[in-house]
Amino acid sequence: TPLINARLPKKMQSLLLLVGQKAERENVRVFAVGGFIRDLLLQIPNHDLDLVVEPAAIPFAEKLNELLRGQLTTHEQFGTASIVVPGGTQIDLVTSRQEFYARPAALPEVEQSSLKNDLFRRDFTINTLACSLKVSEFGTLIDFFHGIDDLGKGLIRVLYNLSFVEDPLRVLRAVRFEQRFGFRLEETTLSLLENAAQTRVLEKVSKERLYDEIQLALLEEKTPEILIRYFELQLAPLLFPGVCYSEKLKNRLTSTREMIAWAGRNWPDAAVSPSALYLAALMLELPFQEARHLCRRLRLPRNEVERVLAAVESVPQLLTKLLTPESLKNSELYHLFSGLPAEVLLILQAENSLSRIWESTSLYWEKLRHIKPDVGGRDLLAEGYLPGPVFQEVLLALKDARLDRQVLNREEELSLARKLFAMKEKNDA
Ligand code: CTP
């Protein structure tokens, strides 16, 4: 209780109390479990509340939602429910597993053992902590599997030997938690994981679940470390076939994180997708067709695929052009970058720290892409020129001239347009 009072925002404290009071009134037991308690102990904010309810989650969720007036969803076949509380907190409620309930010999401990069985089926000891919320036992911390010990020692430990075989996705979750918290894989867990990697258990996971987990990994602060660890643990060949690990890739991934933070500060309008950037960084040296195939395999949504492939396709050529000794005119830079997503420019910056590259990308993103001539098609029509290919060429030439600062205002643009039309007429004649 002191931890709850000291570390959780007031709103969350009231929510927990409300749940506890409702549990008391409905005469059910309710436990906050998993990541919520883990993060409470680690002093990390966590806004998703996972509850285990004995004996049944759905009727309790319905009662609770009469008070919360949130958005309730129920799944009868799994006995689960979720409530999105106004303000954004998500509460997930599960029924503590019933099948272990009726064991005559364990009757005095029936309730406890059903919570215990529920927690035993989870992935790692640090995720098995529970805290009772029912008012009469509010704040009681339950630690069946030495989760607190492992939190203290910084260990990721599975609860049983078949854990990775039963749910191979846990292999990737183990790496994500290990890197997120700066923990270590406990010795037996590490060898079980290595064994799972060798026997390619990840191939059994559905593409959708795999994609969801990779997306979660790509949203972490420690994404580069997680991806690097995938390579160290021989998991990467299954996830990203064809991608070779090298010092260069390692540095690129770390620079990519810096670029994401940099873009957040300097290019807030770029709406950069961190996952597209990391995937582009991973695939940068793959042949285009292989990268396309991998995007498909990873079930990336189309807008992500476009960003990743734009980088794979254009970054090598862009680098060559930007590094030629002659400096490029603004209009040339504009045409080089025009239409490319911000992610491509950021990968260029991650790839090469030369100030020339940075000056070019910043000049384009911050200035050139916004420049438009004052004179448009309508003005040319008003001058009596007729639409057609020449008309279009003149408009483009005006834009280039404006980019290169050969013309600085409307009058200068109009006089350039007249000159260009006159030249064309003379040439045609
Ligand atoms: N869980 C599991 N095996 C999985 C996925 C989840 O055992 N493959 C369990 C974990 O014990 C976890 C709980 O289900 O604590 C909820 O899952 P999730 O919300 O993904 O975990 P969190 O620990 O809350 O992770 P995060 O901090 O990333 O939200």
Side-chain angles (χ1 to χ4, degrees):
T1 308
L3 280 188
I4 289 175
N5 292 340
R7 293 186 184 171
L8 293 181
K10 282 274 173 293
K11 255 190 169 167
M12 185 56 87
Q13 291 181 31
S14 326
L15 179 62
L16 295 181
L17 264 178
L18 196 94
V19 172
Q21 285 162 352
K22 198 73 192 157
E24 196 69 49
R25 207 162 307 142
E26 300 299 321
N27 199 25
V28 297
R29 295 183 85 198
V30 180
F31 305 90
V33 298
F36 184 81
I37 303 299
R38 177 198 69 215
D39 290 347
L40 172 66
L41 292 166
L42 290 173
Q43 305 206 49
I44 298 173
N46 184 327
H47 306 289
D48 297 332
L49 182 56
D50 286 326
L51 300 178
V52 171
V53 186
E54 286 178 1
I58 294 178
F60 180 71
E62 283 165 350
K63 292 278 181 208
L64 182 63
N65 199 41
E66 285 169 11
L67 291 176
L68 297 176
R69 298 178 181 281
Q71 207 173 330
L72 171 74
T73 317
T74 58
H75 300 281
E76 293 288 341
Q77 88 246 48
F78 304 117
T80 61
S82 68
I83 302 174
V84 180
V85 183
T89 300
Q90 163 130 4
I91 311 179
D92 287 317
L93 303 97
V94 303
T95 299
S96 85
R97 306 189 196 240
Q98 301 282 307
E99 62 263 46
F100 296 94
Y101 213 81
R103 276 193 307 173
L107 261 184
E109 280 184 2
V110 144
E111 288 153 342
Q112 264 219 342
S113 81
S114 87
L115 174 70
K116 189 170 181 177
N117 277 313
D118 187 295
L119 295 171
F120 183 66
R121 296 217 182 160
R122 293 180 182 241
D123 48 6
F124 311 114
T125 54
I126 59 164
N127 288 337
T128 61
L129 294 161
C131 170
S132 186
L133 296 182
K134 190 173 182 176
V135 169
S136 50
E137 44 193 67
F138 188 87
T140 310
L141 190 57
I142 300 163
D143 179 13
F144 290 122
F145 307 105
H146 308 293
I148 294 187
D149 251 14
D150 285 341
L151 268 187
K153 292 183 190 147
L155 289 179
I156 306 293
R157 186 197 304 268
V158 287
L159 285 114
Y160 51 97
N161 286 357
L162 284 177
S163 190
F164 290 131
V165 178
E166 253 175 38
D167 184 354
L169 206 63
R170 290 177 175 170
V171 169
L172 302 184
R173 288 175 61 87
V175 176
R176 179 155 60 88
F177 289 127
E178 179 200 42
Q179 296 305 316
R180 182 200 287 175
F181 301 129
F183 282 10
R184 264 179 320 119
L185 295 170
E186 174 275 330
E187 214 174 308
T188 309
T189 303
L190 175 62
S191 60
L192 291 169
L193 187 148
E194 284 169 340
N195 197 31
Q198 258 171 23
T199 51
R200 303 173 80 88
V201 287
L202 272 177
E203 280 174 354
K204 299 200 185 93
V205 178
S206 76
K207 290 278 183 286
E208 285 68 25
R209 286 187 77 211
L210 206 55
Y211 169 77
D212 287 347
E213 174 56 35
I214 290 173
Q215 284 299 313
L216 288 177
L218 296 176
L219 287 174
E220 294 274 339
E221 176 56 31
K222 294 284 176 61
T223 301
E225 288 78 4
I226 295 174
L227 295 173
I228 290 165
R229 195 76 170 121
Y230 287 168
F231 283 96
E232 283 171 7
L233 293 168
Q234 309 298 330
L235 301 166
L238 288 166
L239 304 174
F240 313 117
V243 177
C244 297
Y245 183 60
S246 64
E247 237 358 72
K248 199 166 160 206
L249 174 62
K250 190 172 163 182
N251 293 337
R252 187 187 301 134
L253 289 170
T254 319
S255 314
T256 300
R257 169 172 46 210
E258 284 161 25
M259 285 311 105
I260 292 166
W262 183 90
R265 291 191 304 274
N266 296 286
W267 295 354
D269 60 333
V272 166
S273 153
S275 61
L277 256 175
Y278 280 121
L279 291 169
L282 273 175
M283 294 185 210
L284 204 59
E285 287 173 41
L286 280 187
F288 184 80
Q289 293 304 338
E290 274 186 49
R292 193 161 67 175
H293 183 69
L294 184 49
C295 287
R296 221 176 279 153
R297 201 182 131 102
L298 291 171
R299 300 277 200 279
L300 298 189
R302 191 200 286 208
N303 59 348
E304 293 266 296
V305 176
E306 279 165 8
R307 295 178 214 208
V308 173
L309 293 185
V312 175
E313 189 173 31
S314 53
V315 165
Q317 302 159 23
L318 286 172
L319 273 177
T320 316
K321 286 189 184 145
L322 290 168
L323 293 173
T324 49
E326 311 84 56
S327 61
L328 295 168
K329 289 197 287 183
N330 283 355
S331 55
E332 289 171 318
L333 260 190
Y334 178 88
H335 293 298
L336 218 50
F337 290 146
S338 172
L340 290 176
E343 282 80 0
V344 173
L345 310 189
L346 293 166
I347 286 285
L348 273 173
Q349 295 181 180
E351 193 61 2
N352 197 310
S353 56
L354 273 187
S355 60
R356 235 170 116 182
I357 305 265
W358 283 63
E359 279 157 18
S360 308
T361 44
S362 293
L363 179 64
Y364 171 76
W365 190 261
E366 287 158 26
K367 297 221 173 81
L368 301 184
R369 77 189 167 109
H370 302 298
I371 290 178
K372 284 198 186 81
D374 289 333
V375 168
R378 261 198 215 146
D379 303 290
L380 298 186
L381 287 175
E383 291 266 313
Y385 299 112
L386 297 177
V390 175
F391 195 91
Q392 195 53 32
E393 267 174 48
V394 170
L395 281 174
L396 291 176
L398 286 184
K399 175 147 184 166
D400 284 356
R402 190 77 196 231
L403 284 163
D404 293 333
R405 300 183 59 77
Q406 290 160 349
V407 290
L408 299 173
N409 54 42
R410 189 181 153 80
E411 274 58 52
E412 291 182 13
E413 283 175 16
L414 271 177
S415 87
L416 176 64
R418 288 180 199 124
K419 223 185 282 172
L420 290 171
F421 275 116
M423 268 166 57
K424 288 280 173 196
E425 261 174 41
K426 210 166 131 196
N427 283 351
D428 288 351

PDB file of all heavy atoms in Angstrom, residues 34-36 38-39 46 48 50 121-123 127 167 169-170 173 176-177 180 209 220, ligand 1:
ATOM      1  N   GLY A  34       1.004  -9.136 -13.060  1.00  0.00           N
ATOM      2  CA  GLY A  34       1.863  -9.016 -14.238  1.00  0.00           C
ATOM      3  C   GLY A  34       2.650  -7.716 -14.298  1.00  0.00           C
ATOM      4  O   GLY A  34       3.134  -7.196 -13.291  1.00  0.00           O
ATOM      5  N   GLY A  35       2.713  -7.188 -15.537  1.00  0.00           N
ATOM      6  CA  GLY A  35       3.556  -6.015 -15.803  1.00  0.00           C
ATOM      7  C   GLY A  35       3.226  -4.823 -14.913  1.00  0.00           C
ATOM      8  O   GLY A  35       4.116  -4.039 -14.574  1.00  0.00           O
ATOM      9  N   PHE A  36       1.977  -4.702 -14.536  1.00  0.00           N
ATOM     10  CA  PHE A  36       1.575  -3.565 -13.709  1.00  0.00           C
ATOM     11  C   PHE A  36       2.317  -3.580 -12.368  1.00  0.00           C
ATOM     12  O   PHE A  36       2.859  -2.560 -11.927  1.00  0.00           O
ATOM     13  CB  PHE A  36       0.058  -3.610 -13.493  1.00  0.00           C
ATOM     14  CG  PHE A  36      -0.462  -2.422 -12.726  1.00  0.00           C
ATOM     15  CD1 PHE A  36      -0.700  -1.221 -13.365  1.00  0.00           C
ATOM     16  CD2 PHE A  36      -0.701  -2.515 -11.362  1.00  0.00           C
ATOM     17  CE1 PHE A  36      -1.161  -0.120 -12.658  1.00  0.00           C
ATOM     18  CE2 PHE A  36      -1.172  -1.418 -10.647  1.00  0.00           C
ATOM     19  CZ  PHE A  36      -1.399  -0.219 -11.295  1.00  0.00           C
ATOM     20  N   ARG A  38       5.033  -5.484 -11.660  1.00  0.00           N
ATOM     21  CA  ARG A  38       6.477  -5.448 -11.965  1.00  0.00           C
ATOM     22  C   ARG A  38       6.941  -3.994 -12.097  1.00  0.00           C
ATOM     23  O   ARG A  38       7.911  -3.575 -11.465  1.00  0.00           O
ATOM     24  CB  ARG A  38       6.702  -6.213 -13.284  1.00  0.00           C
ATOM     25  CG  ARG A  38       8.115  -6.227 -13.804  1.00  0.00           C
ATOM     26  CD  ARG A  38       8.121  -6.605 -15.290  1.00  0.00           C
ATOM     27  NE  ARG A  38       7.531  -5.537 -16.099  1.00  0.00           N
ATOM     28  CZ  ARG A  38       6.804  -5.735 -17.190  1.00  0.00           C
ATOM     29  NH1 ARG A  38       6.544  -6.939 -17.651  1.00  0.00           N
ATOM     30  NH2 ARG A  38       6.309  -4.711 -17.878  1.00  0.00           N
ATOM     31  N   ASP A  39       6.197  -3.215 -12.882  1.00  0.00           N
ATOM     32  CA  ASP A  39       6.614  -1.840 -13.126  1.00  0.00           C
ATOM     33  C   ASP A  39       6.423  -0.948 -11.902  1.00  0.00           C
ATOM     34  O   ASP A  39       7.174  -0.001 -11.704  1.00  0.00           O
ATOM     35  CB  ASP A  39       5.866  -1.277 -14.340  1.00  0.00           C
ATOM     36  CG  ASP A  39       6.325  -1.938 -15.640  1.00  0.00           C
ATOM     37  OD1 ASP A  39       7.365  -2.630 -15.601  1.00  0.00           O
ATOM     38  OD2 ASP A  39       5.661  -1.770 -16.673  1.00  0.00           O
ATOM     39  N   ASN A  46       3.174   2.619 -15.779  1.00  0.00           N
ATOM     40  CA  ASN A  46       2.476   1.619 -16.592  1.00  0.00           C
ATOM     41  C   ASN A  46       0.990   1.924 -16.479  1.00  0.00           C
ATOM     42  O   ASN A  46       0.450   1.980 -15.382  1.00  0.00           O
ATOM     43  CB  ASN A  46       2.797   0.211 -16.061  1.00  0.00           C
ATOM     44  CG  ASN A  46       2.196  -0.893 -16.916  1.00  0.00           C
ATOM     45  OD1 ASN A  46       1.112  -0.721 -17.496  1.00  0.00           O
ATOM     46  ND2 ASN A  46       2.871  -2.019 -17.000  1.00  0.00           N
ATOM     47  N   ASP A  48      -1.510   0.285 -18.102  1.00  0.00           N
ATOM     48  CA  ASP A  48      -2.432  -0.818 -18.395  1.00  0.00           C
ATOM     49  C   ASP A  48      -2.550  -1.701 -17.169  1.00  0.00           C
ATOM     50  O   ASP A  48      -1.559  -2.197 -16.651  1.00  0.00           O
ATOM     51  CB  ASP A  48      -1.909  -1.659 -19.565  1.00  0.00           C
ATOM     52  CG  ASP A  48      -1.847  -0.836 -20.833  1.00  0.00           C
ATOM     53  OD1 ASP A  48      -2.660   0.110 -20.944  1.00  0.00           O
ATOM     54  OD2 ASP A  48      -0.990  -1.118 -21.674  1.00  0.00           O
ATOM     55  N   ASP A  50      -3.766  -5.071 -15.498  1.00  0.00           N
ATOM     56  CA  ASP A  50      -4.218  -6.455 -15.736  1.00  0.00           C
ATOM     57  C   ASP A  50      -4.768  -7.010 -14.440  1.00  0.00           C
ATOM     58  O   ASP A  50      -4.076  -7.006 -13.422  1.00  0.00           O
ATOM     59  CB  ASP A  50      -3.047  -7.335 -16.197  1.00  0.00           C
ATOM     60  CG  ASP A  50      -2.661  -7.041 -17.629  1.00  0.00           C
ATOM     61  OD1 ASP A  50      -3.568  -6.726 -18.424  1.00  0.00           O
ATOM     62  OD2 ASP A  50      -1.459  -7.099 -17.957  1.00  0.00           O
ATOM     63  N   ARG A 121       1.372 -20.191 -15.355  1.00  0.00           N
ATOM     64  CA  ARG A 121       1.370 -20.346 -16.814  1.00  0.00           C
ATOM     65  C   ARG A 121       1.964 -19.151 -17.537  1.00  0.00           C
ATOM     66  O   ARG A 121       1.953 -19.092 -18.759  1.00  0.00           O
ATOM     67  CB  ARG A 121      -0.072 -20.479 -17.275  1.00  0.00           C
ATOM     68  CG  ARG A 121      -0.694 -21.707 -16.719  1.00  0.00           C
ATOM     69  CD  ARG A 121      -1.555 -22.226 -17.755  1.00  0.00           C
ATOM     70  NE  ARG A 121      -2.262 -23.394 -17.367  1.00  0.00           N
ATOM     71  CZ  ARG A 121      -3.333 -23.766 -17.999  1.00  0.00           C
ATOM     72  NH1 ARG A 121      -3.805 -23.019 -18.973  1.00  0.00           N
ATOM     73  NH2 ARG A 121      -3.924 -24.866 -17.657  1.00  0.00           N
ATOM     74  N   ARG A 122       2.387 -18.178 -16.793  1.00  0.00           N
ATOM     75  CA  ARG A 122       2.893 -16.982 -17.454  1.00  0.00           C
ATOM     76  C   ARG A 122       4.353 -17.130 -17.868  1.00  0.00           C
ATOM     77  O   ARG A 122       4.986 -18.138 -17.585  1.00  0.00           O
ATOM     78  CB  ARG A 122       2.662 -15.774 -16.555  1.00  0.00           C
ATOM     79  CG  ARG A 122       1.175 -15.540 -16.442  1.00  0.00           C
ATOM     80  CD  ARG A 122       0.815 -14.397 -15.589  1.00  0.00           C
ATOM     81  NE  ARG A 122      -0.642 -14.326 -15.530  1.00  0.00           N
ATOM     82  CZ  ARG A 122      -1.354 -13.297 -15.947  1.00  0.00           C
ATOM     83  NH1 ARG A 122      -0.778 -12.235 -16.426  1.00  0.00           N
ATOM     84  NH2 ARG A 122      -2.676 -13.322 -15.857  1.00  0.00           N
ATOM     85  N   ASP A 123       4.853 -16.071 -18.526  1.00  0.00           N
ATOM     86  CA  ASP A 123       6.163 -16.236 -19.177  1.00  0.00           C
ATOM     87  C   ASP A 123       7.360 -16.230 -18.231  1.00  0.00           C
ATOM     88  O   ASP A 123       8.143 -17.172 -18.219  1.00  0.00           O
ATOM     89  CB  ASP A 123       6.342 -15.207 -20.315  1.00  0.00           C
ATOM     90  CG  ASP A 123       5.976 -13.790 -19.914  1.00  0.00           C
ATOM     91  OD1 ASP A 123       5.680 -13.572 -18.711  1.00  0.00           O
ATOM     92  OD2 ASP A 123       5.984 -12.903 -20.783  1.00  0.00           O
ATOM     93  N   ASN A 127       7.032 -11.478 -14.114  1.00  0.00           N
ATOM     94  CA  ASN A 127       5.665 -11.134 -14.517  1.00  0.00           C
ATOM     95  C   ASN A 127       4.611 -11.901 -13.720  1.00  0.00           C
ATOM     96  O   ASN A 127       3.442 -11.930 -14.099  1.00  0.00           O
ATOM     97  CB  ASN A 127       5.473 -11.432 -16.012  1.00  0.00           C
ATOM     98  CG  ASN A 127       6.207 -10.429 -16.877  1.00  0.00           C
ATOM     99  OD1 ASN A 127       6.488  -9.322 -16.435  1.00  0.00           O
ATOM    100  ND2 ASN A 127       6.525 -10.817 -18.103  1.00  0.00           N
ATOM    101  N   ASP A 167       5.057 -21.727 -25.904  1.00  0.00           N
ATOM    102  CA  ASP A 167       4.761 -20.436 -26.517  1.00  0.00           C
ATOM    103  C   ASP A 167       6.070 -19.809 -27.006  1.00  0.00           C
ATOM    104  O   ASP A 167       6.724 -19.051 -26.295  1.00  0.00           O
ATOM    105  CB  ASP A 167       4.077 -19.518 -25.486  1.00  0.00           C
ATOM    106  CG  ASP A 167       3.670 -18.198 -26.112  1.00  0.00           C
ATOM    107  OD1 ASP A 167       4.025 -17.960 -27.288  1.00  0.00           O
ATOM    108  OD2 ASP A 167       3.014 -17.393 -25.424  1.00  0.00           O
ATOM    109  N   LEU A 169       6.850 -17.490 -28.850  1.00  0.00           N
ATOM    110  CA  LEU A 169       6.987 -16.035 -28.900  1.00  0.00           C
ATOM    111  C   LEU A 169       7.719 -15.502 -27.668  1.00  0.00           C
ATOM    112  O   LEU A 169       8.312 -14.434 -27.679  1.00  0.00           O
ATOM    113  CB  LEU A 169       5.588 -15.407 -28.982  1.00  0.00           C
ATOM    114  CG  LEU A 169       5.557 -14.031 -29.644  1.00  0.00           C
ATOM    115  CD1 LEU A 169       6.007 -14.121 -31.082  1.00  0.00           C
ATOM    116  CD2 LEU A 169       4.170 -13.449 -29.554  1.00  0.00           C
ATOM    117  N   ARG A 170       7.679 -16.285 -26.604  1.00  0.00           N
ATOM    118  CA  ARG A 170       8.348 -15.866 -25.369  1.00  0.00           C
ATOM    119  C   ARG A 170       9.854 -15.703 -25.551  1.00  0.00           C
ATOM    120  O   ARG A 170      10.502 -15.008 -24.797  1.00  0.00           O
ATOM    121  CB  ARG A 170       8.062 -16.881 -24.253  1.00  0.00           C
ATOM    122  CG  ARG A 170       6.627 -16.820 -23.801  1.00  0.00           C
ATOM    123  CD  ARG A 170       6.316 -17.863 -22.767  1.00  0.00           C
ATOM    124  NE  ARG A 170       4.955 -17.682 -22.269  1.00  0.00           N
ATOM    125  CZ  ARG A 170       4.343 -18.545 -21.498  1.00  0.00           C
ATOM    126  NH1 ARG A 170       4.958 -19.647 -21.134  1.00  0.00           N
ATOM    127  NH2 ARG A 170       3.109 -18.304 -21.071  1.00  0.00           N
ATOM    128  N   ARG A 173      10.061 -12.243 -26.389  1.00  0.00           N
ATOM    129  CA  ARG A 173       9.681 -11.432 -25.216  1.00  0.00           C
ATOM    130  C   ARG A 173      10.823 -11.408 -24.201  1.00  0.00           C
ATOM    131  O   ARG A 173      11.090 -10.379 -23.581  1.00  0.00           O
ATOM    132  CB  ARG A 173       8.408 -11.990 -24.569  1.00  0.00           C
ATOM    133  CG  ARG A 173       7.149 -11.735 -25.387  1.00  0.00           C
ATOM    134  CD  ARG A 173       5.929 -12.415 -24.762  1.00  0.00           C
ATOM    135  NE  ARG A 173       5.600 -11.950 -23.420  1.00  0.00           N
ATOM    136  CZ  ARG A 173       4.833 -10.905 -23.142  1.00  0.00           C
ATOM    137  NH1 ARG A 173       4.302 -10.189 -24.114  1.00  0.00           N
ATOM    138  NH2 ARG A 173       4.567 -10.576 -21.894  1.00  0.00           N
ATOM    139  N   ARG A 176      13.247  -8.907 -25.281  1.00  0.00           N
ATOM    140  CA  ARG A 176      12.703  -7.541 -25.136  1.00  0.00           C
ATOM    141  C   ARG A 176      12.790  -7.085 -23.677  1.00  0.00           C
ATOM    142  O   ARG A 176      13.256  -5.987 -23.385  1.00  0.00           O
ATOM    143  CB  ARG A 176      11.258  -7.518 -25.646  1.00  0.00           C
ATOM    144  CG  ARG A 176      10.578  -6.173 -25.537  1.00  0.00           C
ATOM    145  CD  ARG A 176       9.459  -6.023 -26.557  1.00  0.00           C
ATOM    146  NE  ARG A 176       8.407  -7.008 -26.434  1.00  0.00           N
ATOM    147  CZ  ARG A 176       7.343  -6.875 -25.643  1.00  0.00           C
ATOM    148  NH1 ARG A 176       7.191  -5.790 -24.900  1.00  0.00           N
ATOM    149  NH2 ARG A 176       6.422  -7.822 -25.594  1.00  0.00           N
ATOM    150  N   PHE A 177      12.368  -7.949 -22.761  1.00  0.00           N
ATOM    151  CA  PHE A 177      12.411  -7.552 -21.346  1.00  0.00           C
ATOM    152  C   PHE A 177      13.862  -7.436 -20.857  1.00  0.00           C
ATOM    153  O   PHE A 177      14.201  -6.528 -20.107  1.00  0.00           O
ATOM    154  CB  PHE A 177      11.635  -8.552 -20.475  1.00  0.00           C
ATOM    155  CG  PHE A 177      10.143  -8.480 -20.662  1.00  0.00           C
ATOM    156  CD1 PHE A 177       9.398  -9.613 -20.959  1.00  0.00           C
ATOM    157  CD2 PHE A 177       9.464  -7.273 -20.528  1.00  0.00           C
ATOM    158  CE1 PHE A 177       8.011  -9.555 -21.127  1.00  0.00           C
ATOM    159  CE2 PHE A 177       8.084  -7.200 -20.693  1.00  0.00           C
ATOM    160  CZ  PHE A 177       7.360  -8.337 -20.990  1.00  0.00           C
ATOM    161  N   ARG A 180      15.086  -4.171 -22.217  1.00  0.00           N
ATOM    162  CA  ARG A 180      14.348  -3.021 -21.702  1.00  0.00           C
ATOM    163  C   ARG A 180      14.799  -2.671 -20.290  1.00  0.00           C
ATOM    164  O   ARG A 180      15.003  -1.519 -19.948  1.00  0.00           O
ATOM    165  CB  ARG A 180      12.839  -3.304 -21.696  1.00  0.00           C
ATOM    166  CG  ARG A 180      12.050  -2.095 -21.213  1.00  0.00           C
ATOM    167  CD  ARG A 180      10.657  -2.473 -20.748  1.00  0.00           C
ATOM    168  NE  ARG A 180       9.770  -2.795 -21.846  1.00  0.00           N
ATOM    169  CZ  ARG A 180       8.519  -3.246 -21.643  1.00  0.00           C
ATOM    170  NH1 ARG A 180       8.051  -3.412 -20.408  1.00  0.00           N
ATOM    171  NH2 ARG A 180       7.737  -3.545 -22.654  1.00  0.00           N
ATOM    172  N   ARG A 209       1.216 -12.900 -35.019  1.00  0.00           N
ATOM    173  CA  ARG A 209       1.763 -12.720 -33.663  1.00  0.00           C
ATOM    174  C   ARG A 209       3.222 -12.290 -33.733  1.00  0.00           C
ATOM    175  O   ARG A 209       3.670 -11.457 -32.957  1.00  0.00           O
ATOM    176  CB  ARG A 209       1.653 -14.019 -32.858  1.00  0.00           C
ATOM    177  CG  ARG A 209       0.236 -14.347 -32.404  1.00  0.00           C
ATOM    178  CD  ARG A 209       0.246 -15.552 -31.486  1.00  0.00           C
ATOM    179  NE  ARG A 209       0.699 -15.231 -30.143  1.00  0.00           N
ATOM    180  CZ  ARG A 209       1.365 -16.083 -29.346  1.00  0.00           C
ATOM    181  NH1 ARG A 209       1.656 -17.290 -29.780  1.00  0.00           N
ATOM    182  NH2 ARG A 209       1.730 -15.734 -28.145  1.00  0.00           N
ATOM    183  N   GLU A 220      10.467   0.051 -28.629  1.00  0.00           N
ATOM    184  CA  GLU A 220      11.178   0.189 -27.354  1.00  0.00           C
ATOM    185  C   GLU A 220      12.283   1.233 -27.460  1.00  0.00           C
ATOM    186  O   GLU A 220      12.822   1.477 -28.542  1.00  0.00           O
ATOM    187  CB  GLU A 220      11.818  -1.167 -26.976  1.00  0.00           C
ATOM    188  CG  GLU A 220      10.829  -2.259 -26.668  1.00  0.00           C
ATOM    189  CD  GLU A 220      10.365  -2.241 -25.210  1.00  0.00           C
ATOM    190  OE1 GLU A 220      11.063  -1.670 -24.361  1.00  0.00           O
ATOM    191  OE2 GLU A 220       9.290  -2.823 -24.943  1.00  0.00           O
TER     192      GLU A 220
HETATM  193  N1  CTP B   1       2.159 -13.399 -21.199  1.00  0.00           N
HETATM  194  C1  CTP B   1       2.721 -14.651 -21.297  1.00  0.00           C
HETATM  195  N2  CTP B   1       3.125 -15.137 -22.503  1.00  0.00           N
HETATM  196  C2  CTP B   1       2.981 -14.360 -23.630  1.00  0.00           C
HETATM  197  C3  CTP B   1       2.406 -13.103 -23.536  1.00  0.00           C
HETATM  198  C4  CTP B   1       2.011 -12.623 -22.296  1.00  0.00           C
HETATM  199  O1  CTP B   1       2.858 -15.335 -20.299  1.00  0.00           O
HETATM  200  N3  CTP B   1       3.371 -14.830 -24.804  1.00  0.00           N
HETATM  201  C5  CTP B   1       1.734 -12.910 -19.870  1.00  0.00           C
HETATM  202  C6  CTP B   1       2.849 -12.187 -19.132  1.00  0.00           C
HETATM  203  O2  CTP B   1       2.947 -12.730 -17.851  1.00  0.00           O
HETATM  204  C7  CTP B   1       2.413 -10.748 -19.064  1.00  0.00           C
HETATM  205  C8  CTP B   1       0.897 -10.816 -19.284  1.00  0.00           C
HETATM  206  O3  CTP B   1       0.658 -12.023 -19.987  1.00  0.00           O
HETATM  207  O4  CTP B   1       2.756 -10.152 -17.843  1.00  0.00           O
HETATM  208  C9  CTP B   1       0.363  -9.647 -20.082  1.00  0.00           C
HETATM  209  O5  CTP B   1       0.997  -9.566 -21.330  1.00  0.00           O
HETATM  210  P1  CTP B   1       1.561  -8.205 -21.880  1.00  0.00           P
HETATM  211  O6  CTP B   1       0.574  -7.129 -21.714  1.00  0.00           O
HETATM  212  O7  CTP B   1       2.140  -8.447 -23.228  1.00  0.00           O
HETATM  213  O8  CTP B   1       2.796  -8.054 -20.875  1.00  0.00           O
HETATM  214  P2  CTP B   1       3.377  -6.874 -20.044  1.00  0.00           P
HETATM  215  O9  CTP B   1       4.280  -7.552 -19.068  1.00  0.00           O
HETATM  216  O10 CTP B   1       2.349  -5.948 -19.511  1.00  0.00           O
HETATM  217  O11 CTP B   1       4.279  -6.187 -21.139  1.00  0.00           O
HETATM  218  P3  CTP B   1       4.471  -4.671 -21.534  1.00  0.00           P
HETATM  219  O12 CTP B   1       5.176  -4.073 -20.360  1.00  0.00           O
HETATM  220  O13 CTP B   1       5.324  -4.741 -22.773  1.00  0.00           O
HETATM  221  O14 CTP B   1       3.092  -4.141 -21.774  1.00  0.00           O
END
